[in-house]
Amino acid sequence: MNENENEHDNTWLEQLATVHRLLHVEDNIADAALAEGVLTDNGIDHYRIENVQRLAAAKARLSDEGAPGIDVILLDLALPDSQGLATLQAILELNAGIPVVVLTVLEDEHLGRDAVSAGAEDYLSKSELVTQNLLSRTLRYAIERSRRRRAQARLSDVPVIAEQDAVRAAIKRDALDARVIPLRTAAPALFEQLAKDYQVLLINVIGTSAGFESDALGDGANAILDRLVEQRGSPADLIDLHAVALHRAIAGESDSAAAIRERSRTLVLTMMARLAILYRDRA
């Protein structure tokens, strides 16, 4: 099959599926990678994800009339250039009716409800990103509710807060049976061993000039990923391993902690991409 035939087949497959374009406004690279991994691996909805790290960049993207339209916005309220509900308000002033799902750092129901009152479709805490169905369904419901309101050209008679509480309860009920048990809980001994292996890998990455192409690093990374796939580990498990190993690696290294964190970002993104490929190839 030639390149043109491949391109034609990919286009045809995309037409069969509903592809949503998501703008993820998030400055934390690990959280951005986690959300992308969960949504890419959800097997139900299909997303083309754009990530920006600043409110200014989000405003520029939404104001670009020549760029493809955005179907839904996943918005971190704590950005380097804007904090709290002011971040949401700035987005709502520009998004022309695009549904917004906000992210809170903690289980802050008050902030989430205030965001919905201010115009967001829904809210999630970052801890809820690890629940695959919850994130996917929250975004899907936000898109559908927004489309329904535009089609009807009127607001629902149900108060916004009451509607959102009912929808969140339904989503969580639907997702409960499919909730993935974290590897740390399901297999603590294996998690601890993989965390140690990841720490060795991380130290090797920091100490080598060979980068990520060296055989030693490749073998070490692939061994960890193979075990994750065997256990049906999620992108959240990989992020969890990374966080534990990074914390241990920088303990007592105050002078070089910033450099370690910087190099570790490339490592976790590289491994996230490899994990996605492994699941695709073994499907």
Side-chain angles (χ1 to χ4, degrees):
M1 183 178 290
N2 61 40
E3 183 176 346
N4 289 335
E5 289 174 330
N6 272 324
E7 183 176 352
H8 173 76
D9 285 348
N10 290 337
T11 301
W12 179 74
L13 288 172
E14 286 187 357
Q15 289 173 347
L16 290 179
T18 300
V19 180
H20 306 296
R21 188 174 291 276
L22 166 69
L23 180 64
H24 188 183
V25 188
E26 172 62 72
D27 67 304
N28 186 303
I29 193 168
D31 288 338
L34 174 58
E36 181 172 357
V38 169
L39 291 174
T40 300
D41 193 40
N42 79 87
I44 302 173
D45 300 295
H46 302 270
Y47 293 90
R48 289 180 178 172
I49 303 171
E50 299 180 32
N51 174 247
V52 295
Q53 300 181 354
R54 300 289 190 276
L55 174 62
K59 293 169 68 174
R61 172 62 179 86
L62 293 170
S63 300
D64 186 353
E65 296 181 357
I70 297 296
D71 295 309
V72 63
I73 300 169
L74 187 59
L75 177 67
D76 181 10
L77 292 181
L79 299 173
D81 57 345
S82 183
Q83 297 287 316
L85 293 179
T87 307
L88 172 63
Q89 189 58 46
I91 292 294
L92 292 176
E93 290 174 356
L94 292 172
N95 72 14
I98 303 171
V100 179
V101 174
V102 302
L103 292 172
T104 60
V105 176
L106 302 173
E107 297 283 356
D108 192 337
E109 293 291 326
H110 293 294
L111 180 59
R113 290 167 65 90
D114 287 347
V116 170
S117 295
E121 279 293 334
D122 211 333
Y123 66 95
L124 290 171
S125 70
K126 290 193 175 183
S127 64
E128 291 176 308
L129 291 180
V130 300
T131 304
Q132 175 177 301
N133 283 12
L134 183 58
L135 175 58
S136 177
R137 293 184 188 190
T138 297
L139 292 173
R140 187 196 320 147
Y141 284 25
I143 293 170
E144 291 305 318
R145 283 197 304 272
S146 178
R147 286 176 177 172
R148 184 178 69 242
R149 282 202 302 271
R150 290 199 302 269
Q152 294 173 344
R154 62 180 175 80
L155 293 174
S156 171
D157 292 333
V158 180
V160 174
I161 290 294
E163 179 186 6
Q164 298 308 327
D165 285 348
V167 169
R168 285 176 61 80
I171 293 173
K172 289 186 176 182
R173 279 198 309 272
D174 291 343
L176 185 60
D177 291 337
R179 186 180 296 273
V180 177
I181 300 175
L183 183 63
R184 183 199 289 261
T185 301
L190 175 60
F191 180 89
E192 178 61 25
Q193 183 57 57
L194 291 180
K196 291 178 180 178
D197 294 343
Y198 196 108
Q199 184 178 355
V200 171
L201 178 66
L202 182 58
I203 292 172
N204 286 339
V205 168
I206 296 166
T208 185
S209 60
F212 297 96
E213 301 303 322
S214 70
D215 292 339
L217 297 182
D219 291 343
N222 288 336
I224 294 171
L225 295 176
D226 284 341
R227 293 304 304 276
L228 276 178
V229 172
E230 288 173 5
Q231 298 293 320
R232 300 301 299 170
S234 70
D237 291 320
L238 180 57
I239 294 293
D240 201 6
L241 287 170
H242 178 83
V244 170
L246 179 60
H247 175 75
R248 293 173 180 176
I250 64 176
E253 299 287 345
S254 57
D255 293 338
S256 57
I260 294 173
R261 287 195 181 94
E262 185 64 31
R263 294 216 66 188
S264 72
R265 291 174 181 173
T266 304
L267 174 62
V268 71
L269 290 178
T270 300
M271 293 188 68
M272 188 73 73
R274 290 184 184 181
L275 182 63
I277 292 171
L278 284 174
Y279 272 122
R280 182 196 65 192
D281 291 345
R282 300 184 188 190

